[in-house]
Amino acid sequence: MYKKIDEKIIKELICIVGEENLIADRDKMVDYSHDELALKEIRKLPEIVIKPKNEKEVSEAIKLCSKETIPLTPRGAGTGLCGGCVPVYGGIVMSFDNMNRIIDIDQDNLMVTLEAGVNLVDLYKAIGKKGLFFPPHPGDESATVGGLIATNAGGARAVKYGVVRDFVKGIEVVLPDGEIVNIGGKFMKNSSGYSLLHLLVGSEGTLGIITKAVLNLLVPPQVMYTLVVPYNNLTDAIRTVPLLIQNKIRPVAVEFMEQGPVKITEDLLQKKWPCQEGSAYLMIIVDAASEEEIMKSLETIGQICLDNNAIDVFVADNKQKQENVLNIRSQMYEALKNYMLEILDVTVPRAEIAAFVTDVHRVEEEFKTWLPTYGHAADGNVHTHIMKYKCEKGSWTEIEDWQEKYPLIRRKIHLLGKKYHGIVSGEHGIGLVKKEYLNLFVQERQIEMMRQIKKLFDPHNILNPGKIFDL
Amino acid sequence: MYKKIDEKIIKELICIVGEENLIADRDKMVDYSHDELALKEIRKLPEIVIKPKNEKEVSEAIKLCSKETIPLTPRGAGTGLCGGCVPVYGGIVMSFDNMNRIIDIDQDNLMVTLEAGVNLVDLYKAIGKKGLFFPPHPGDESATVGGLIATNAGGARAVKYGVVRDFVKGIEVVLPDGEIVNIGGKFMKNSSGYSLLHLLVGSEGTLGIITKAVLNLLVPPQVMYTLVVPYNNLTDAIRTVPLLIQNKIRPVAVEFMEQGPVKITEDLLQKKWPCQEGSAYLMIIVDAASEEEIMKSLETIGQICLDNNAIDVFVADNKQKQENVLNIRSQMYEALKNYMLEILDVTVPRAEIAAFVTDVHRVEEEFKTWLPTYGHAADGNVHTHIMKYKCEKGSWTEIEDWQEKYPLIRRKIHLLGKKYHGIVSGEHGIGLVKKEYLNLFVQERQIEMMRQIKKLFDPHNILNPGKIFDL
């Protein structure tokens, strides 16, 4: 079906990107065979890795792939969690390491124009210097702009500020036949024909290669505080969430987590979580225009929590304390990842999370396993980890029959997502490993429309083939 | 090309919607031959109007149209401004008058589920009673949800809260072959395959018929104030806008307008604008969680305006004064519409509006005409009115050679939009009359992709044919 890469094609690729921007050594290509997903079974070596320097080189490379029918898989920083950048059919992996320029920070229009390979660390730093703010904050700051847009990444701050989709105002895209198109621009409103921009956002590199983006920025809030609220059980914690949202205060983030993963992360980082009591926590981030205002917000939020069985309310009121808490929250995944099989991304309506998570813990009991579950409580985006090992009193032991249990648990949790009117992925995307569950949540007709759109953009199926759905 | 409607088809339509929900009388169909666009030349009578009561009737009707190749044009309240619901090829107009139920207001999830024919007046009222808030506020509150989604409507409050797209979380859509699909749901995050939802938002009824929607709601702000700031010239007024946005306060809306249209509207409504001095104004809406907070915001904003040549700052601090100001602003279009040819909707980057509007006034001088221009300053969405009459000292006189000038002025202003890196439509859509300018702003390849997507959804081209682009 696909052509293998031979010497002639390598020569052509060298002509396009230069010898120094091509990797053919198998050992050096191992890093390009997987993303952050733990499952080793899905890894696949590319035949070649190339690192174009600009959209013209991207265009030349994709034209070659179209002509020769060679699969081409674009790859950001590989921080994905569903195998989205694994080159399942071999071929070429295209890395954006050489396309990481921030082209323009436009303070009058509050827009940044940048290349797809810029990562969040560099973006936050560059705009921070100009007093500007890009609200989306997915877990891993090494993620690149191209990947964030391709998966419509979310993160904790989506509660108040929205997801990546809400901030993308323009993109430069290279289509599978090599044509470079510019969609949108530095304007806040656009009702000018079908939104190809929004079709490309979240299309996981299967319709076109995003080479540049224009992102809308905000002015950062004056003050931001973080609360940690311990509860005796997770249900009480999560039940508080709709009450917080219905309040006049719109929190930046409301995260939920349980004691187990928090303790493991404390040990890993050698940092202390602000409270030792309670078995479940809410972590609430609030921002405001002034100290007085935020104090009032914290008081209101604290009172709502205490009225709903919170044990206590801890305020991380300085930068150090806040970073400590946020660091433990964001490293929770790191602490678990070597012992787990997969992190799920089921998203349910906010009011259904308590029931959903209660049912997840029933599955945990039923299978005598450990399913550490935490996530973005206020937007219903729940991350359940299917584990291979469990942690008891600081030591890890292998879970009995985890191989047999894994697919069964996986299916049960997705069925629960369906039962509670949710969706398979809130922010990670479908990639390779969630394809089998897409049609549990999305009608076959819709998937068929997606397939036809794919064929329309990419008739030879060269662009990140094997992802989202089977053709 | 299309089949004419005969007695047999009328009988079948009566079977589907009932005799009482079908209009065949020519006089009664006149209202369905146009939208709010002033140009009489583009009016076209449908052959039949039907008013289905539910999605099943919509599905039966569209199946019939597909089978017989009859054009079908969905129509909300007809408040559009670019001929989007004009049945250019005759056939059937589908009205949603009988599909105006608010199905569910879900306070825990802050979501409303409703039929496409619900108008904004009823939506605001119903959710207001439950203490909830739908931020988008396009000019005409008789607009229906289906139409708002089909055009991705905007309005003044988009500065802080975003456009309609940002609030649509789910839709029920009837496809041209009659299949009913449900896309999205009551969840805040979704990265599960291509976003057919965002493809349908803004597709102007050409890809599918939206029959239901799930909209995200917010809790309303505690306090909202409106400022009116007079200036001696429009340039100074508009130049203040990026400075306001760069400030820590995020205003709900920043509108700009000139004295002429304000005076005409004052006369029409017999209401007084808060200030008589100045030839141009900013109208700024601010909201906040408390009186103290808003007072500080108003002070900051007022100071920025005064530092940038504002003559004075007027605060509409009670409901009556605010309604007065908002009423004059929203009725400005009503005051002009009988004397004008067309209202444009060019949107440019925020920092370019001052230069764009200055150039528009140069066109005004060049053509010895009147081009009253106002709009949403903070999101660059500028409404220039091409007039047939001008108003001098309260009396209207016909503009010399307006027929010859009209297409020339229209072209010049769109070229200016292009010059300032803008887009043809920010919130009105393309419809019938802006098709000729779409390819000035959007590459031919993108329009070709749109055409192919249209063919994929609607192979017989029965759904609102002749809109956005020519096939």
Side-chain angles (χ1 to χ4, degrees):
Chain A
M1 174 191 178
Y2 291 113
K3 184 166 173 178
K4 287 279 150 200
I5 294 180
D6 55 23
E7 284 307 312
K8 184 178 151 278
I9 288 167
I10 291 179
K11 271 187 192 150
E12 289 188 61
L13 288 170
I14 288 173
C15 279
I16 296 168
V17 298
E19 198 159 7
E20 68 285 12
N21 296 312
L22 180 140
I23 305 173
D25 183 302
R26 286 177 65 91
D27 287 348
K28 288 186 183 150
M29 288 197 293
V30 171
D31 285 349
Y32 298 88
S33 68
H34 62 90
D35 61 3
E36 278 287 307
L37 182 78
L39 293 175
K40 293 217 165 42
E41 298 72 33
I42 63 140
R43 297 185 174 198
K44 170 85 189 174
L45 270 186
E47 295 163 64
I48 287 287
V49 174
I50 59 170
K51 301 185 176 189
K53 295 179 289 301
N54 54 54
E55 69 281 5
K56 286 187 193 73
E57 292 183 4
V58 172
S59 168
E60 288 307 313
I62 203 168
K63 269 186 216 165
L64 177 64
C65 291
S66 271
K67 196 181 86 192
E68 304 283 357
T69 324
I70 296 165
L72 176 61
T73 301
R75 177 191 176 90
T79 60
L81 291 161
C82 53
C85 63
V86 174
V88 270
Y89 295 102
I92 297 169
V93 161
M94 183 180 276
S95 154
F96 293 87
D97 287 359
N98 289 332
M99 290 177 68
N100 55 4
R101 284 183 312 139
I102 294 175
I103 296 160
D104 164 49
I105 300 173
D106 180 341
Q107 289 192 285
D108 281 340
N109 286 307
L110 298 189
M111 298 271 179
V112 58
T113 307
L114 70 189
E115 289 184 324
V118 174
N119 66 35
L120 279 174
V121 175
D122 292 339
L123 172 61
Y124 293 147
K125 204 185 289 170
I127 61 171
K129 276 186 202 157
K130 306 261 183 182
L132 299 172
F133 176 49
F134 179 65
H137 190 252
D140 193 329
E141 292 188 2
S142 64
T144 63
V145 166
L148 294 169
I149 296 174
T151 54
N152 183 26
R157 293 183 194 152
V159 183
K160 180 164 185 172
Y161 291 108
V163 295
V164 168
R165 178 184 298 286
D166 304 312
F167 291 85
V168 185
K169 299 301 166 193
I171 45 176
E172 177 187 81
V173 183
V174 183
L175 296 173
D177 63 3
E179 186 158 347
I180 300 164
V181 294
N182 283 282
I183 307 176
K186 286 186 185 174
F187 27 82
M188 295 299 294
K189 283 174 168 173
N190 188 356
S191 287
S192 306
Y194 306 159
S195 182
L196 300 179
L197 189 146
H198 282 286
L199 183 59
L200 279 146
V201 173
S203 66
E204 305 191 24
T206 65
L207 298 179
I209 297 181
I210 295 163
T211 44
K212 286 197 194 88
V214 179
L215 305 176
N216 183 216
L217 304 174
L218 297 180
V219 174
Q222 294 276 13
V223 274
M224 198 185 268
Y225 275 20
T226 302
L227 292 178
V228 174
V229 188
Y231 287 83
N232 279 321
N233 63 75
L234 187 63
T235 312
D236 279 347
I238 302 181
R239 276 193 190 142
T240 316
V241 177
L243 305 172
L244 291 173
I245 301 293
Q246 283 163 39
N247 196 273
K248 296 274 175 189
I249 302 143
R250 206 168 160 197
V252 174
V254 184
E255 303 279 300
F256 75 96
M257 56 217 73
E258 292 174 285
Q259 200 183 36
V262 170
K263 282 222 171 304
I264 295 166
T265 319
E266 279 185 304
D267 290 348
L268 176 83
L269 300 178
Q270 293 292 308
K271 285 187 175 173
K272 274 271 158 254
W273 190 244
C275 49
Q276 296 307 308
E277 60 267 74
S279 65
Y281 314 98
L282 290 182
M283 185 193 92
I284 305 165
I285 305 177
V286 189
D287 65 5
S290 69
E291 282 287 339
E292 301 96 287
E293 193 199 323
I294 210 162
M295 284 305 153
K296 270 196 285 176
S297 300
L298 296 181
E299 212 170 288
T300 309
I301 289 174
Q303 201 52 55
I304 293 172
C305 293
L306 291 170
D307 289 348
N308 287 276
N309 301 337
I311 301 170
D312 208 337
V313 175
F314 292 85
V315 183
D317 53 2
N318 67 39
K319 220 174 164 185
Q320 183 55 47
K321 285 186 199 168
Q322 281 187 50
E323 272 175 13
N324 203 29
V325 168
L326 295 175
N327 198 229
I328 291 178
R329 165 63 186 90
S330 74
Q331 292 297 307
M332 239 176 242
Y333 170 74
E334 289 297 315
L336 294 172
K337 78 172 186 183
N338 292 329
Y339 307 97
M340 78 166 187
L341 294 157
E342 191 182 349
I343 174 173
L344 305 184
D345 185 38
V346 171
T347 299
V348 295
R350 184 188 299 132
E352 308 285 359
I353 330 172
F356 174 72
V357 176
T358 302
D359 276 5
V360 168
H361 285 311
R362 285 197 187 116
V363 174
E364 184 176 62
E365 278 172 38
E366 182 189 341
F367 284 91
K368 295 190 179 59
T369 186
W370 187 38
L371 299 174
T373 295
Y374 54 76
H376 315 301
D379 48 38
N381 189 192
V382 180
H383 298 312
T384 296
H385 301 63
I386 307 183
M387 302 300 290
K388 194 168 163 180
Y389 294 84
K390 69 170 99 179
C391 188
E392 279 164 323
K393 292 174 190 155
S395 74
W396 291 93
T397 52
E398 202 167 341
I399 292 163
E400 213 176 317
D401 302 328
W402 60 265
Q403 290 97 328
E404 292 77 45
K405 288 173 182 172
Y406 174 37
L408 304 173
I409 292 168
R410 204 169 182 250
R411 180 154 184 85
K412 281 233 166 175
I413 292 173
H414 282 105
L415 284 170
L416 288 176
K418 176 79 179 169
K419 174 181 164 191
Y420 291 110
H421 311 291
I423 191 82
V424 49
S425 173
E427 57 183 17
H428 295 169
I430 302 301
L432 186 61
V433 299
K434 283 172 188 152
K435 283 194 291 187
E436 61 184 298
Y437 286 113
L438 185 61
N439 71 357
L440 183 67
F441 294 86
V442 174
Q443 289 158 295
E444 178 52 32
R445 175 62 184 272
Q446 289 177 51
I447 300 176
E448 186 51 33
M449 301 301 287
M450 293 180 200
R451 278 190 199 104
Q452 290 184 25
I453 290 170
K454 167 73 175 169
K455 284 175 189 163
L456 198 155
F457 276 75
D458 182 18
H460 306 300
N461 193 26
I462 55 148
L463 205 46
N464 204 7
K467 305 299 160 57
I468 308 181
F469 40 71
D470 289 311
L471 278 177
Chain B
M1 175 191 177
Y2 291 113
K3 185 167 172 177
K4 286 280 149 197
I5 293 180
D6 56 21
E7 282 308 313
K8 185 177 149 280
I9 288 167
I10 291 179
K11 270 188 192 148
E12 288 188 63
L13 288 170
I14 287 172
C15 280
I16 296 168
V17 298
E19 197 158 7
E20 69 283 13
N21 297 312
L22 180 141
I23 305 173
D25 184 302
R26 286 178 64 91
D27 287 348
K28 289 185 182 150
M29 287 197 293
V30 171
D31 285 349
Y32 299 87
S33 68
H34 62 91
D35 62 4
E36 279 286 308
L37 182 79
L39 293 176
K40 293 217 164 44
E41 299 72 35
I42 64 139
R43 297 185 174 199
K44 170 83 189 177
L45 268 187
E47 295 164 64
I48 287 287
V49 174
I50 59 171
K51 301 186 177 189
K53 294 179 289 299
N54 54 55
E55 69 280 6
K56 284 187 194 69
E57 292 183 4
V58 172
S59 169
E60 289 306 313
I62 204 169
K63 270 187 216 166
L64 177 65
C65 291
S66 271
K67 198 181 85 192
E68 304 282 358
T69 322
I70 296 165
L72 176 61
T73 301
R75 178 190 175 89
T79 60
L81 291 161
C82 53
C85 62
V86 174
V88 268
Y89 295 103
I92 297 169
V93 161
M94 184 180 277
S95 154
F96 293 86
D97 287 359
N98 289 332
M99 290 177 68
N100 55 4
R101 285 182 312 136
I102 294 176
I103 296 160
D104 164 48
I105 300 173
D106 180 340
Q107 289 192 286
D108 281 340
N109 286 307
L110 299 189
M111 298 271 179
V112 59
T113 307
L114 69 190
E115 290 184 324
V118 174
N119 67 33
L120 278 174
V121 175
D122 292 340
L123 171 60
Y124 293 146
K125 203 185 289 170
I127 61 172
K129 276 186 201 158
K130 307 261 182 181
L132 298 173
F133 175 49
F134 180 65
H137 190 250
D140 194 328
E141 292 189 3
S142 64
T144 63
V145 166
L148 294 169
I149 296 174
T151 54
N152 184 26
R157 293 183 194 151
V159 184
K160 181 164 185 172
Y161 291 108
V163 295
V164 167
R165 179 185 298 285
D166 304 310
F167 290 86
V168 185
K169 299 300 165 192
I171 44 175
E172 178 187 79
V173 182
V174 182
L175 295 174
D177 64 2
E179 187 158 348
I180 301 164
V181 294
N182 283 282
I183 305 175
K186 286 185 184 174
F187 28 82
M188 295 299 293
K189 283 175 169 171
N190 188 355
S191 287
S192 305
Y194 305 159
S195 182
L196 300 179
L197 190 146
H198 282 286
L199 182 59
L200 280 145
V201 173
S203 67
E204 304 191 25
T206 65
L207 298 179
I209 297 181
I210 294 163
T211 44
K212 286 197 193 87
V214 178
L215 304 176
N216 183 214
L217 304 174
L218 297 180
V219 173
Q222 294 276 14
V223 275
M224 198 185 266
Y225 275 21
T226 303
L227 291 178
V228 175
V229 187
Y231 287 83
N232 278 323
N233 63 75
L234 188 62
T235 311
D236 280 346
I238 302 181
R239 276 195 189 141
T240 317
V241 177
L243 304 172
L244 291 173
I245 300 293
Q246 283 164 39
N247 196 273
K248 296 275 175 188
I249 302 143
R250 206 170 159 195
V252 174
V254 185
E255 304 279 300
F256 74 96
M257 57 216 73
E258 291 176 285
Q259 199 183 36
V262 170
K263 282 223 172 302
I264 294 165
T265 319
E266 278 185 306
D267 290 347
L268 176 82
L269 300 178
Q270 293 291 307
K271 285 186 175 174
K272 274 272 159 254
W273 189 244
C275 49
Q276 296 307 308
E277 60 268 74
S279 66
Y281 314 98
L282 290 182
M283 185 193 91
I284 304 164
I285 307 177
V286 188
D287 65 4
S290 69
E291 281 288 337
E292 299 96 288
E293 192 198 325
I294 209 160
M295 283 307 152
K296 270 194 287 176
S297 299
L298 296 181
E299 212 170 288
T300 310
I301 289 173
Q303 200 52 55
I304 293 172
C305 294
L306 291 171
D307 289 348
N308 287 276
N309 302 335
I311 301 170
D312 208 338
V313 175
F314 292 85
V315 182
D317 53 1
N318 66 39
K319 221 174 163 184
Q320 183 53 46
K321 286 187 200 166
Q322 281 188 48
E323 272 175 12
N324 203 28
V325 168
L326 295 175
N327 199 230
I328 290 177
R329 165 64 186 90
S330 73
Q331 292 295 307
M332 238 175 243
Y333 170 74
E334 289 297 316
L336 293 172
K337 77 172 187 183
N338 293 329
Y339 307 97
M340 78 167 188
L341 294 156
E342 191 182 350
I343 174 172
L344 305 184
D345 184 38
V346 171
T347 299
V348 295
R350 184 190 298 132
E352 308 285 0
I353 330 173
F356 174 72
V357 176
T358 302
D359 277 4
V360 167
H361 285 311
R362 284 196 188 118
V363 175
E364 185 177 62
E365 278 171 39
E366 180 189 343
F367 284 90
K368 296 189 178 61
T369 186
W370 188 38
L371 299 174
T373 295
Y374 55 74
H376 315 302
D379 48 36
N381 189 192
V382 180
H383 298 313
T384 296
H385 301 63
I386 306 182
M387 302 299 292
K388 193 168 164 179
Y389 294 83
K390 67 170 101 179
C391 187
E392 280 164 322
K393 292 175 192 156
S395 75
W396 291 92
T397 51
E398 202 166 342
I399 292 164
E400 212 176 320
D401 302 328
W402 60 264
Q403 290 98 327
E404 293 76 48
K405 289 173 182 171
Y406 175 36
L408 303 174
I409 292 169
R410 204 170 181 247
R411 178 151 186 88
K412 282 236 166 175
I413 293 173
H414 282 105
L415 284 170
L416 288 177
K418 176 78 179 170
K419 174 181 165 191
Y420 290 110
H421 311 290
I423 191 83
V424 49
S425 173
E427 56 183 17
H428 294 171
I430 302 301
L432 185 61
V433 298
K434 284 173 188 154
K435 283 195 290 188
E436 61 184 297
Y437 286 113
L438 185 61
N439 69 359
L440 184 65
F441 294 87
V442 174
Q443 290 157 295
E444 178 53 32
R445 175 64 183 270
Q446 290 178 51
I447 300 176
E448 186 51 32
M449 300 302 286
M450 294 181 199
R451 279 191 198 103
Q452 289 184 26
I453 290 170
K454 167 73 175 171
K455 283 175 188 162
L456 199 155
F457 276 76
D458 182 19
H460 305 300
N461 192 25
I462 55 150
L463 206 46
N464 204 7
K467 305 297 161 59
I468 308 180
F469 40 71
D470 289 312
L471 279 177

